Each structure stands twice: as structure tokens, then as C-alpha cells.
């Protein structure tokens, strides 16, 4: 069928190609407008990191073909003209007529329609996690130019696109008796990516290398035009990436020269029962207790972990306790997963069919079957590993027992220190402290303005929630001198209330609260204050952010009363959604706009913004710098923040908020 539909065509003009389109195709063409209108919703932002997700998306599609057993070779090439080409020897994207869109090829539907990337029911392992899995159409929409070539049934076809729209028909190019697969070449649209559409070779190289580590069945050929490699950049010009030892090799690379508690890493792989999937792992315990945890599902990173990690942890903790009991280490019963695994270096990779993910950024695996599958697959192997080397097991058990005892002691000391009046730090007068002594589970709300502070004080949970009201805008630390920062009352109050010290004096153990929550009005001034505070923490207490303590509250902007019920909306979009839902019959909903936190009653503030069960908190994050990937990201972040610092805090705020990896939806 393909042959008669797609006879060789010579057209290459956009207008000509479009003129030949029939009305029913318009729907397809319009399908990508939302992507160009709000790119952030599809790829998590419009910064350089988001731009690199486009490459990840294409690469993931080729990896899908490899993992499903249809391809074993992928070429990743960075061309001198700034385009990237990804070629695989898989089945090739189908080019026959799409059943739902007569006259249009499946290829064109896949490239021009949202959520059409599905494998039409086929495919063993389908990637759909992370920010990826959004589909080739999203990449196409955000590409200034995209060329796709498909070699299928011994024929080579080509089609060109610009910003999601076909420039040509699908053209027959040549017979190709020895070739099969898909090749996509594209360049991101500078209009979308803040004027910068230059890829960073090292990022793409590492991306390709990670994929090769995660799937032994693929050979990835890397090539980069020499003019793209900056001076001092050690990224190779070409490389053949294939790692028969998989994640074990990956772990060694990430670990570098660091010493470990155990003699050998615990590594292995296991097919799961009934062809339900496969798991591969490598874990070791570094002496410096500076661990990392990288987990993947179908070669896609799951930064927030999930069920595969749960299964893995459970197998290891159970295994260690059983072995410890048997070998006479009584104290091992008190050990927690935290003691055993929180500072280990772990690479965990699972392959399962039809994986499910959770969250706005889909970075957590939620398929329940992964727990049991991984647990069962790993447990026997771990038992064997422990009993096969007594010295090794002993070293590990002693390490875990030490850590369990240290944790217990620290907890006791901390509770003591907070209670003892002599040790009690000078606290700012404006602070309404919580009554609980231990920092665990406590929160401090840094609130914009005295009146909002008053509502917050009344609406809080006195046991675990403290309130520190700030008067107006805080000093812009980015542009202020050290003396001025030291004299600023609002900043002094914050430092005293937190108790942990600043810069090199920062002591995590002295931090008086588990969560530091910035709560400002849902307007531009509020955003400004939030950005000033974030800059303060970023520059003076970066560890506080790195360790996951900094959060942003999300107070609502609207209250809608309809049918005797109250609804709250965070923004206009949510308001419209609620209105669409509740506007039934003839009663008109009553909409009011909060001018600020101070306008809300304590009960309203509690219900919408402070209550642990109802609120949405955004967690501010800095990439984990213990890995190559994280270091590269962190480097970019610092560069960007420095660039934006001082002059335009709104832009900086927008920048930080947009960074998908920074923001986590919690407590929903
Ligand atoms: C849809 C269906 C099939 C394969 C693909 C898409 C596919 C997409 C990409 C993207 C990059 N490389 C790719 N390779 C394949 C299944 C085709 C069939 O059943 O023959």
C-alpha cells in the first residue's frame, strides 16, 4: 500500500505541500499548537536542560526498539550545523496510511499529533517515563527543522518538517536492500529556547553512554563534529559505546577511585518469572558515606525512585537482618533501611512491560508489580553474596550497626540540646516557635508581612509549625555588601530562627526545623520576595537546599463559592477549570480574588496552604553533585543564577521555578 500512496514526489515548497492537504488534515496540523504555546508543560521548561530533553526523547524511542529486540545499533551524531542525528536499525516508523487519517501516513500522524507515539498495541517494553515519553511530535513541534528518514521494506523514505509542520510530502528516496530503521535529524527552535539552541556535546555524549550502560544489547556509535568541542572539553570526537558488564561498569565509573567498606560490589541480573521483566543492579558502600542512587525503568531515569527501589531495599534489608541474626549480631535488629542504604552507591535498572509513573514530572515508578518482582529476583542473590564472603559481610554488618547507634545517639543529643535552656539559642522576638523540641516533622513558615503572619499564627499547628513574619522585601543579598547583609534585621532573624549557621559554619544538625517553607502572596511582589529568599538560601545555606529542606507554599489566588461549597484555585487556569465544572443550572458562582495572604482568614489559610494533608508544597532542589550528570547540571545552574542574579529577580524566579528537576509536587 505504501508504494502507491507515496510515489516519488518532487515538491519541496511548504505552500505547495500544504495546498495539497485536505480539510481533514487540518486537525492534525493544529494538534501541535499547544506545544509551541506552552512548551514548559510538555518538556518541563524552555531552558537548556529542557532543550536536551528533546534529544533524550528521540534516543528513548530508538532505545525502545532496541530493548524490545528490534534494533541493536544506534548512531548519535552531532553535526557541524548544530543539528543532531539519531539513527537506529529498528523496524522503522510505519509509513503506510494511518487508519484514522486516510491519506496521511502513520509517520506523519506520529510526528504531528500529540500522544500518537504509541506502538499501536505492539512493543514489549515501552518507555513512557520521566519528561520523556511525550512523543516525537513534541520534539517536532519545538524543532526549527526536522528531517526523518525511514528505511522499511528495502525502501528509503524521507520527509522534512519545520516547527511541527510538514514542508514536503513523504518522499521515496531510493531502494536500500541492506538498510532498515529510522533516522531523525533536528535542530531545536531558538524562538522557543530563549534564543539559545546550541547543544552541549558532553551532555549528549553522557546521555548516550548512560543508555549503553543500561542496555548491553545495544551498541551506540558516538560522533561529534570537531568544531563543536570547546577548548578544554574532553568529550571524545567519536566513541563506540557498548558495556557487556552493564550497570556494574556504570557503578565503577560513577564511583571513581573512592574506597568502599565492602570488598566487592554486590552486582547481578535476573530475569523475572513469566517473562515479566528483568532487573540489573550494582551496589557498593563508599567509605566517605557520600552515596547516590540511580534507578531506571526501561532505561529512563526515575529520579524520585519508586516501587523498583522499594523492592530492592526491602530485599537487602531483610537479607542483611536474617544473615546478621543467624551470625549472632544481635544489634542488627535495630537497623533501618536508612542506616543500611541511604549512603550507598546504587545503580538499579529494571525492564518491565507497561510501566506506570506518578507525579507531575512522572519521575517515580508506581507499578506495584515491580516491588515483588525485584524483591524476589534480588533476595536469593543477596543471601548468597553475604554468605559467600564472611569478611565482606562482617564489614558491612558492623558498618550498619555503627550507623544505627550513631543515629540513636544523635537523636537523643538533639532533643537534649533543644530542651536545655543554657544551650537554647537566642531567638528573634517575632518568631512564634513550635512547641515540639526535636526538629523531626517540624516546619517554619517564613511569611510575607505582619498581617499574614498573624493569620498564619492562628491557623498553624502549634506543636510542629513555627511562624516567622518578615517585614516587606528582604535585602537583595546578591547585590548587597557583606556588612549590609550582616546588619539586616530580617536576615539576622532568619539566621537566628534556623539555628544552623551560614556558609562554612552551616551545621545540618543544628537546623531547628525539618522544612523551611516560604509563604508569600500569589502575586508579582510575592514572587519577588520568594526569589530574594531563595537567592539568600542559595548563596548562604546551599546545603539547606541540597538536603531538601527548602519549600515554597502555594496559596490560592481565587475562592469560588458554588452550590454552597467552597473551591480554591491557584491560578486563572485552575479557576477556569473549576468554573467549567461547577457552573451548572442557573446559580452563578461567586468568585473572589485574594489580594494577599493577609486577606485570608486563619481557617482559610490553614485549609488551603498550611494543612499537611491538603496543601501543595514545591520543593526547591539543587541537582545531586555526586554524579557527573548532577555536576554538569549544577554547573549550569550556578552559571545561570549568576547571570540572572542581582538585576532581575522575577526572571530568576521564573527560571528556577521552571526547572523541572527543581520542583517536586509534594503533599498533594
Ligand atoms: C511506531 C510503531 C512502530 C515503531 C515505531 C513507531 C518506531 C519509532 C521510532 C522512533 C525512533 N526509532 C523508531 N523506531 C520505531 C512499530 C512498527 C512495526 O510494527 O513494524
Amino acid at each position: 500500500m505504501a508504494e502507491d500512496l507515496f510515489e516519488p514526489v518532487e515538491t519541496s515548497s511548504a505552500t505547495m505541500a500544504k495546498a495539497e492537504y485536505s480539510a481533514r488534515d487540518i486537525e492534525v496540523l493544529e494538534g501541535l499548537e499547544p506545544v509551541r504555546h506552552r512548551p514548559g508543560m510538555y518538556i518541563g521548561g524552555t531552558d537548556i536542560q529542557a532543550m536536551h530533553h528533546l534529544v533524550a526523547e528521540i534516543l528513548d524511542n530508538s532505545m525502545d526498539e532496541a530493548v524490545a529486540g528490534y534494533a541493536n545499533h544506534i548512531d548519535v551524531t552531532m553535526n557541524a550545523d548544530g543539528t543532531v542525528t539519531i539513527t537506529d536499525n529498528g523496524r522503522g516508523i510505519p509509513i503506510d496510511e494511518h487508519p484514522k487519517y486516510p491519506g496521511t501516513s502513520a509517520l506523519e500522524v506520529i510526528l504531528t499529533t500529540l500522544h500518537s507515539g504509541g506502538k499501536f498495541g505492539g512493543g514489549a517494553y515501552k518507555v513512557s517515563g520521566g519528561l520523556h515519553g511525550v512523543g516525537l511530535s513534541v520534539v517536532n513541534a519545538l524543532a526549527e527543522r526536522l528531517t526523518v528518514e525511514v528505511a522499511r521494506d528495502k525502501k528509503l523514505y524521507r520527509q522534512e518538517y519545520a516547527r511541527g509542520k510538514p514542508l514536503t510530502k513523504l518522499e521515496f528516496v531510493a531502494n536500500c536492500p541492506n538498510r532498515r530503521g529510522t533516522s531523525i535529524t533536528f535542530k531545536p527552535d531558538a524562538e522557543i529556547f530563549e534564543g539559545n539552541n546550541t547543544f552541549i556535546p558532553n551532555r549528549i555524549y553522557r546521555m548516550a553512554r548512560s543508555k549503553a550502560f543500561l542496555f548491553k544489547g545495544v551498541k551506540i556509535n558516538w560522533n561529534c563534529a570537531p568544531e563543536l568541542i570547546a577548548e578544554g572539553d574532553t568529550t571524545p570526537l567519536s566513541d563506540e559505546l557498548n558495556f557487556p558488564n552493564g550497570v556494574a561498569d556504570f557503578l565503577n565509573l560513577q564511583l571513581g577511585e573512592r574506597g568502599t567498606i565492602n570488598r566487592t560490589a554486590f552486582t547481578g541480573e535476573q530475569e523475572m518469572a513469566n517473562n515479566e521483566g528483568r532487573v540489573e543492579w550494582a551496589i557498593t558502600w563508599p567509605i566517605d558515606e557520600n552515596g547516590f542512587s540511580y534507578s531506571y525503568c526501561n532505561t529512563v531515569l526515575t529520579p524520585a525512585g519508586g516501587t523498583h527501589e522499594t523492592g530492592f531495599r526491602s530485599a537487602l534489608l531483610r537479607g542483611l537482618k536474617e544473615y546478621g541474626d543467624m551470625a549472632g549480631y544481635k544489634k542488627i535488629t535495630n537497623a533501618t533501611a536508612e542506616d543500611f542504604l541511604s549512603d550507598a552507591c546504587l545503580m538499579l535498572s529494571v525492564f518491565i512491560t507497561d510501566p506506570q509513573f506518578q507525579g507531575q514530572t512522572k519521575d517515580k515508578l508506581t507499578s506495584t508489580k515491580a516491588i515483588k518482582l525485584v524483591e524476589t529476583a534480588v533476595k536469593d542473590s543477596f543471601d548468597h553474596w553475604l554468605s559467600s564472603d564472611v569478611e565482606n559481610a562482617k564489614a558491612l554488618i558492623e558498618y550498619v550497626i555503627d550507623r544505627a547507634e550513631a543515629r540513636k545517639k544523635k537523636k537523643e543529643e538533639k532533643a537534649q540540646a533543644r530542651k536545655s535552656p543554657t544551650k537554647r539559642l537566642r531567638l528573634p522576638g517575632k518568631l512564634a516557635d513550635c512547641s515540639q523540641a526535636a526538629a523531626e516533622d517540624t516546619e517554619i513558615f517564613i511569611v510575607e508581612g505582619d498581617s499574614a503572619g498573624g493569620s498564619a499564627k492562628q491557623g498553624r499547628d502549634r506543636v510542629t509549625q513555627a511562624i516567622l513574619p518578615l517585614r516587606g522585601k528582604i535585602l537583595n543579598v546578591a547585590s548587597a555588601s557583606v556588612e549590609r547583609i550582616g546588619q539586616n534585621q530580617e536576615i539576622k532573624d532568619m539566621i537566628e530562627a534556623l539555628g544552623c549557621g551560614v556558609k562554612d559554619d552551616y551545621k545540618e544538625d543544628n537546623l531547628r526545623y525539618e522544612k523551611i517553607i516560604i509563604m508569600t502572596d500569589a502575586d508579582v511582589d510575592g514572587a519577588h520576595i520568594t526569589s530574594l529568599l531563595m537567592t539568600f538560601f542559595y548563596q548562604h545555606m546551599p546545603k539547606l537546599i541540597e538536603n531538601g529542606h527548602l519549600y515554597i507554599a502555594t496559596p490560592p489566588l481565587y475562592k469560588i463559592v458554588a452550590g454552597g461549597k467552597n473551591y480554591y484555585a491557584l491560578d486563572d487556569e485552575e479557576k477556569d477549570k473549576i468554573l467549567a465544572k461547577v457552573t451548572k443550572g442557573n446559580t452563578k458562582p461567586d468568585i473572589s480574588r485574594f489580594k494577599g495572604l493577609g486577606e485570608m482568614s486563619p481557617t482559610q489559610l490553614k485549609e488551603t496552604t498550611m494543612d499537611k494533608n491538603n496543601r501543595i508544597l514545591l520543593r526547591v532542589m539543587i541537582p545531586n553533585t555526586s554524579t557527573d550528570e548532577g555536576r554538569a547540571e549544577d554547573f549550569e545552574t550556578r552559571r545561570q543564577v549568576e547571570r540572572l542574579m542581582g538585576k532581575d529577580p522575577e526572571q530568576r524566579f521564573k527560571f528556577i521555578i521552571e526547572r523541572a528537576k527543581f520542583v517536586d509536587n509534594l503533599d498533594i
Side-chain angles (χ1 to χ4, degrees):
M1 184 216 283
E3 275 87 322
D4 27 48
L5 256 172
F6 303 108
E7 76 282 11
V9 281
E10 62 294 325
T11 171
S12 63
S13 123
T15 41
M16 259 185 82
K18 255 187 105 175
E20 287 168 23
Y21 268 69
S22 55
R24 63 177 169 258
D25 294 317
I26 301 298
E27 187 193 329
V28 180
L29 293 174
E30 282 180 350
L32 292 177
E33 262 159 38
V35 182
R36 289 189 59 82
H37 189 59
R38 302 189 74 175
M41 276 192 46
Y42 298 87
I43 56 163
T46 53
D47 60 4
I48 194 148
Q49 187 193 359
M51 189 176 85
H52 283 78
H53 281 308
L54 303 184
V55 180
E57 176 62 31
I58 308 272
L59 189 53
D60 283 349
N61 274 277
S62 291
M63 283 301 289
D64 264 1
E65 283 292 285
V67 173
Y70 299 109
N72 59 10
H73 208 109
I74 297 173
D75 281 340
V76 177
T77 307
M78 290 188 67
N79 307 300
D81 63 359
T83 60
V84 167
T85 302
I86 293 171
T87 307
D88 65 59
N89 65 345
R91 290 168 294 180
I93 302 178
I95 42 86
D96 46 356
E97 187 180 41
H98 193 278
K100 266 211 218 138
Y101 301 95
T104 310
S105 67
L107 174 86
E108 189 170 319
V109 173
I110 287 173
L111 283 166
T112 57
T113 324
L114 276 171
H115 312 300
S116 62
K119 299 272 157 102
F120 308 127
Y125 301 111
K126 205 179 109 49
V127 173
S128 54
L131 287 165
H132 325 321
V134 287
L136 298 178
S137 60
V138 168
V139 180
N140 193 23
L142 304 177
E144 165 190 302
R145 197 63 190 254
L146 182 144
T147 306
V148 56
E149 287 187 351
V150 171
R152 234 178 120 96
D153 302 328
K154 307 193 191 313
K155 291 188 171 60
L156 181 66
Y157 302 88
R158 180 188 297 133
Q159 192 171 23
E160 304 261 353
Y161 292 84
R163 306 195 161 97
K165 301 197 172 170
L167 291 179
T168 65
K169 282 193 157 194
L170 183 67
E171 297 171 29
F172 168 80
V173 180
N175 289 316
C176 57
N178 302 317
R179 194 177 149 191
R180 203 186 69 158
T182 307
S183 181
I184 293 173
T185 299
F186 77 101
K187 186 175 194 159
D189 188 352
E191 281 175 18
I192 300 282
F193 296 99
E194 300 162 12
N196 177 7
N197 61 349
T198 312
F199 286 121
I200 301 169
N202 190 253
R203 275 204 182 191
I204 297 183
Y205 173 70
R206 279 184 292 108
M207 207 187 273
R209 191 180 56 182
S210 300
K211 296 293 176 187
F213 277 125
L214 289 164
F215 187 62
K216 302 166 198 179
V218 71
K219 196 168 268 175
I220 301 183
N221 253 324
W222 158 259
N223 282 289
C224 181
E227 48 269 66
L228 301 179
I229 307 260
E231 217 177 286
D233 184 344
T234 55
T235 312
L237 289 177
S238 68
D239 205 351
E240 198 171 274
L241 302 162
N242 174 240
F243 302 99
N245 295 320
V247 294
D249 280 348
F250 205 174
L251 181 74
N252 280 334
L253 176 88
Q254 303 283 2
L255 192 66
E257 299 291 297
R258 297 154 59 192
T260 56
I261 305 282
N262 44 310
R263 272 213 279 241
T264 50
F266 170 50
T267 67
E269 63 183 295
Q270 189 77 49
E271 291 288 334
M272 301 187 227
N274 306 328
N275 256 346
E276 287 195 86
R278 209 156 60 77
V279 55
E280 274 186 58
W281 66 89
I283 182 169
T284 199
W285 287 262
I287 291 168
D288 60 22
E289 300 187 37
N290 196 357
F292 54 77
S293 173
Y294 265 11
S295 63
Y296 301 82
C297 179
N298 300 352
T299 80
V300 172
L301 183 69
T302 43
T307 44
H308 49 341
E309 282 194 17
T310 307
F312 188 81
R313 280 168 207 284
S314 153
L316 260 64
L317 187 64
R318 240 172 7 101
L320 187 82
K321 286 194 170 182
E322 283 171 17
Y323 180 89
D325 268 353
M326 192 189 68
Y329 297 94
K330 289 237 152 25
K331 288 179 175 164
I332 199 74
T333 40
N334 299 324
T336 62
E338 173 90 2
D339 299 328
F340 186 22
L341 300 166
S342 71
D343 293 310
C345 296
L346 166 67
M347 309 290 309
L348 175 67
S349 168
V350 298
F351 296 90
I352 56 172
T353 49
D354 195 21
Q356 306 294 313
F357 298 90
Q358 180 221 312
Q360 200 175 30
T361 47
K362 295 197 180 161
D363 50 14
K364 184 174 182 180
L365 184 68
T366 54
S367 313
T368 34
K369 70 173 177 185
I371 304 178
K372 262 260 131 1
L373 285 174
V374 174
E375 191 175 359
T376 316
V378 173
K379 176 72 168 45
D380 278 355
S381 185
F382 188 56
D383 292 346
H384 180 76
W385 182 78
L386 282 174
S387 49
S388 70
D389 183 342
V390 178
E391 283 304 309
N392 195 47
K394 181 169 178 257
L396 202 54
I397 287 182
E398 285 172 354
Y399 157 88
V400 178
I401 290 175
D402 277 357
R403 281 167 55 97
E405 301 209 312
R407 170 176 50 84
K408 212 172 128 212
K409 203 167 144 208
K410 207 152 118 187
K411 200 173 163 187
E412 285 163 5
E413 279 173 5
K414 209 161 163 183
Q416 205 54 42
R418 268 179 128 257
K419 277 195 201 107
S420 107
T422 47
K423 275 240 181 134
R424 184 142 196 155
L425 292 156
R426 194 162 49 94
L427 290 173
K430 287 192 298 183
L431 174 75
D433 206 3
C434 55
S435 62
Q436 180 182 302
E440 230 176 322
D441 290 330
T442 64
E443 315 179 324
I444 181 167
F445 285 83
I446 299 179
V447 187
E448 169 184 2
D450 283 336
S451 72
S455 300
K457 274 178 204 170
Q458 290 177 56
R460 72 184 169 135
D461 162 13
R462 288 171 178 280
V463 181
T464 60
Q465 295 182 321
I467 310 293
L468 180 68
L470 294 183
R471 202 158 290 134
K473 292 197 176 171
I474 73 151
L475 181 71
N476 186 349
V477 288
S479 57
S481 66
V482 179
E483 288 100 87
R484 271 190 64 213
I485 295 171
Q487 285 159 8
N488 184 268
Q489 193 57 46
E490 314 299 318
I491 287 178
K492 278 207 290 211
D493 285 352
M494 267 194 297
I495 295 172
E496 277 174 11
L498 298 183
C500 54
V502 294
K503 300 223 159 146
D504 291 343
D505 295 330
Y506 178 85
K507 290 208 180 49
E508 171 81 14
D509 284 353
N510 293 346
L511 182 60
R512 300 181 60 256
Y513 309 94
E514 191 173 279
K515 289 194 171 91
I516 318 304
I517 304 171
I518 301 172
M519 185 160 74
T520 62
D521 294 347
D523 60 14
V524 177
D525 271 344
H528 187 188
I529 294 170
T530 300
S531 74
L532 290 170
L533 285 167
M534 280 168 63
T535 307
F536 166 74
F537 286 114
Y538 188 74
Q539 290 196 330
H540 293 260
M541 304 178 185
K543 278 263 177 295
L544 182 141
I545 305 182
E546 270 167 40
N547 296 339
H549 296 296
L550 187 62
Y551 295 80
I552 299 171
T554 56
L557 196 54
Y558 295 102
K559 178 182 176 185
I560 298 146
V561 185
K565 271 176 119 176
N566 294 341
Y567 302 86
Y568 297 95
L570 289 180
D571 52 23
D572 289 289
E573 200 186 330
E574 203 183 357
K575 178 193 73 181
D576 295 342
K577 255 195 213 154
I578 293 171
L579 285 177
K581 229 183 350 193
V582 301
T583 316
K584 287 193 198 96
N586 44 18
T587 46
K588 237 182 137 195
D590 179 49
I591 308 164
S592 50
R593 193 177 198 281
F594 293 114
K595 287 208 190 65
L597 294 169
E599 279 197 350
M600 277 188 239
S601 71
T603 319
Q604 278 174 336
L605 193 58
K606 178 192 167 101
E607 280 174 2
T608 60
T609 317
M610 297 175 70
D611 183 352
K612 289 179 186 176
N613 299 316
N614 283 327
R615 69 190 180 189
I616 294 172
L617 289 185
L618 301 175
R619 175 155 61 178
V620 182
M621 282 161 73
I622 296 178
N624 176 356
T625 51
S626 66
T627 64
D628 267 10
E629 202 112 338
R631 264 198 296 275
E633 260 169 41
D634 188 50
F635 172 78
E636 275 309 315
T637 311
R638 280 175 204 280
R639 210 174 57 112
Q640 283 272 27
V641 170
E642 257 135 52
R643 192 162 64 85
L644 296 170
M645 198 76 72
K647 288 203 193 97
D648 187 354
E650 273 84 20
Q651 203 196 333
R652 177 169 64 246
F653 174 69
K654 185 172 147 273
F655 158 78
I656 297 173
I657 283 291
E658 268 183 2
R659 293 189 46 113
K661 283 228 167 136
F662 274 52
V663 183
D664 230 1
N665 255 339
L666 290 179
D667 297 348
I668 305 179

